[in-house]
């Protein structure tokens, strides 16, 4: 087996799945363009803002990708390449794609509100409150984890910090050009992409040297600003332009696989257990998150993406298509490290981490393309910069989404008491960033990651639970969401249970308590949803 075969098999399966299974989901959800989407009917120029499908796909893909489909498969490759490959391919098609696509459609049908609002409609206000607390807590973990990752990257690669600042300035001008000066999208894109790639050598010429703590403070200030500004002026155009960065990385890497024809050198199956990772079940399905399914995607889909969906049928390419593209990135990540000699892979992973291992593997593929004539070192720098750019994207998107969760939680109280001011976007963002900062500077560093991974995947299970109840109320067959939901609950509750035990034994009581709270919230919400479904036994019989 070599890398070319793995790429071609995954590509053919994803294309077929988009046409066949994506079409099946569209029919089950009755996707059509009969009504205007909330991006038009509720347009406010801040959060609700219609975007063309290519722009929205770029924003959505950049937001959901981050470093997840790179870090997860690389770490999990220690189990062997076959378990990771199978989970990425089949997980993306039958679980992640369903989760992402249905989340967007469900949100659009409910004024582009979050999954929490959908839970309120079908499970009750208390169910919504539980979900919003869980989602907000998970996003605080995301903010802390990615603030640490991005700050460390900028500290060790100062040019990446400069390039990222230039990205942001470019995005503002791009947004003004498209939405205020009405420059045609293709012209703005060509100019924007050229300037985007020129910012890389500019970063090398003028690297910004700061320590990690300073970068963390600057990043926290940045995400506050990014969360409260209109999406059209920064978030949407920045993510759209950055998506070309990732597209270039993927195209270069996958084309490089064809030229390099790498042999798969790590074992097909290595072990049922890995140090610091855990047992194959549930660790594989929690570690390989974004490359197969991620609860963060449902928050993005129902948080920012649904508010920008121009027409309902765009949801298929943005939601289902975006997940399959991310699955392809996860396949590339796996092949990048699987092509290394096993000892080299383990040495790089344990001493430098998953991103350098991925960067070196992909750099070797790009180096093999004759027309590019890139050195391994240059290609490795480009790859590392691309990963850091998308980690930053996940960071500011998570902050805006956490603000949405916080505002929704207090919406009812605001209606009862006009003096409640926490729904103000500046106040809710400040509170969110303050909690993220507290966890960032708590000294837990990357020991937060296992809890984040489990919470993120449990969030996916809760989103699938809400979607199951919604589809059941549509009087449609809902096994296509029910089965993934049951599987993800089994995986994530088991993982959280293990984390509670291991953190308690290690006297890491902070993370142990967080794990207990997340576990309890999920169980309580699951019981409420089960009650709703069992009270509608006739509905279940009719729709299964």
């Amino acid at each position: 087996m070599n890398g070319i075969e793995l790429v071609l098999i995954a590509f053919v399966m994803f294309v077929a799945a988009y046409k066949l299974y994506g079409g099946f989901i569209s029919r089950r959800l009755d996707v059509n363009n009969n009504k205007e989407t909330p991006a038009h009917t509720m347009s406010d120029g801040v959060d609700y803002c219609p975007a063309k499908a290519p722009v929205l796909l770029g924003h959505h893909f950049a937001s959901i990708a981050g470093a997840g489909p790179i870090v997860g498969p690389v770490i999990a490759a220690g189990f062997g390449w076959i378990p990771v490959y199978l989970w990425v391919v089949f997980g993306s098609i039958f679980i992640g794609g369903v989760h992402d696509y249905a989340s967007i459609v469900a949100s659009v049908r409910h004024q582009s509100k979050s999954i929490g609002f959908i839970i309120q409609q079908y499970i009750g206000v208390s169910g919504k409150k539980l979900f919003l607390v869980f989602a907000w807590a998970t996003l605080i973990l995301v903010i802390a984890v990615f603030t640490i990752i991005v700050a460390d990257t900028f500290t060790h690669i100062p040019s990446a910090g400069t390039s990222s600042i230039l990205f942001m300035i470019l995005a503002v001008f791009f947004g003004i050009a498209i939405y205020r000066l009405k420059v045609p999208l293709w012209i703005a894109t060509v100019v924007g992409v050229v300037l985007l790639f020129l910012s890389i050598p500019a970063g090398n010429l003028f690297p910004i040297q700061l320590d990690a703590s300073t970068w963390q403070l600057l990043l926290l200030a940045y995400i506050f600003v990014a969360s409260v500004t209109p999406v059209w002026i920064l978030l949407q155009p920045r993510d759209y332009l950055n998506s070309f960065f990732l597209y270039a990385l993927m195209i270069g890497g996958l084309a490089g696989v064809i030229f390099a024809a790498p042999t798969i050198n790590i074992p097909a199956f290595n072990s049922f257990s890995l140090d610091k990772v855990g047992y194959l079940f549930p660790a594989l399905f929690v570690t390989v998150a974004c490359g197969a399914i991620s609860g963060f995607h449902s928050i993005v889909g129902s948080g920012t993406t649904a508010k920008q969906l121009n027409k309902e049928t765009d949801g298929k390419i943005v939601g289902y298509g975006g997940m399959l593209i991310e699955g392809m990135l996860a396949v590339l990540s796996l092949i990048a490290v699987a092509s290394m000699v096993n000892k080299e892979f383990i040495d790089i992973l344990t001493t430098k981490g998953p991103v350098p291992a991925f960067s070196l593997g992909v750099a070797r593929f790009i180096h093999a393309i004759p027309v590019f004539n890139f050195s391994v070192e240059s290609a490795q720098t480009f790859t590392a910069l691309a990963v850091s750019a998308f980690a930053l994207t996940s960071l500011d998107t998570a902050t805006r989404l956490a603000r949405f969760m916080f505002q929704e939680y207090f919406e009812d109280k605001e209606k009862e008491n006009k003096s409640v001011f926490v729904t103000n976007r500046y106040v809710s963002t400040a509170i969110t960033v303050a909690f993220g900062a507290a966890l960032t500077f708590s000294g837990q560093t990357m020991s937060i990651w296992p809890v984040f991974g489990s919470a993120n995947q449990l969030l996916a299970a809760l989103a699938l639970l809400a979607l199951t109840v919604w589809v059941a109320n549509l009087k449609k067959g809902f096994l296509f969401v029910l089965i993934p939901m049951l599987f993800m609950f089994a995986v994530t509750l088991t993982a959280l249970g293990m984390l509670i035990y291991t953190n308690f034994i290690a006297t890491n009581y902070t993370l142990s308590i967080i794990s207990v709270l997340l576990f309890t919230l999920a169980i309580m919400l699951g019981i409420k949803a089960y009650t709703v479904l069992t009270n509608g036994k006739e509905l279940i019989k009719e729709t299964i």
Side-chain angles (χ1 to χ4, degrees), residues 507-520:
T507 67
N508 194 339
Y509 299 121
T510 300
L511 295 182
S512 184
I513 291 170
I514 291 174
S515 300
V516 169
L517 291 174
L518 294 173
F519 187 97
T520 304

Side-chain angles (χ1 to χ4, degrees), residues 44 46-48 59 107 112-117 128 132 135-136 139 226-231 235 298-308 396-411 422-425 428-429 432:
D44 61 6
V46 177
D47 295 319
Y48 289 83
H59 159 69
S107 177
S112 292
K113 296 283 190 178
S114 74
I115 294 294
F117 182 84
K128 171 193 173 183
L132 291 177
W136 187 77
L139 289 169
S227 177
V228 298
T229 53
V231 290
L235 193 69
S298 68
I299 305 301
V300 173
S302 65
T304 58
T305 304
K307 292 177 174 63
Q308 302 170 63
D396 58 25
T397 299
T399 308
R400 182 177 287 260
L401 293 170
R403 188 250 291 178
F404 290 157
M405 302 291 106
F406 194 90
Q407 288 175 309
E408 275 197 44
Y409 184 89
F410 289 101
E411 273 182 352
V422 290
T423 55
N424 176 279
R425 74 175 187 266
S428 55
T429 300
T432 296

Side-chain angles (χ1 to χ4, degrees), residues 153 162 185 340 410 488:
T153 301
T162 304
L185 178 61
M340 297 178 179
F410 289 101
M488 292 309 299

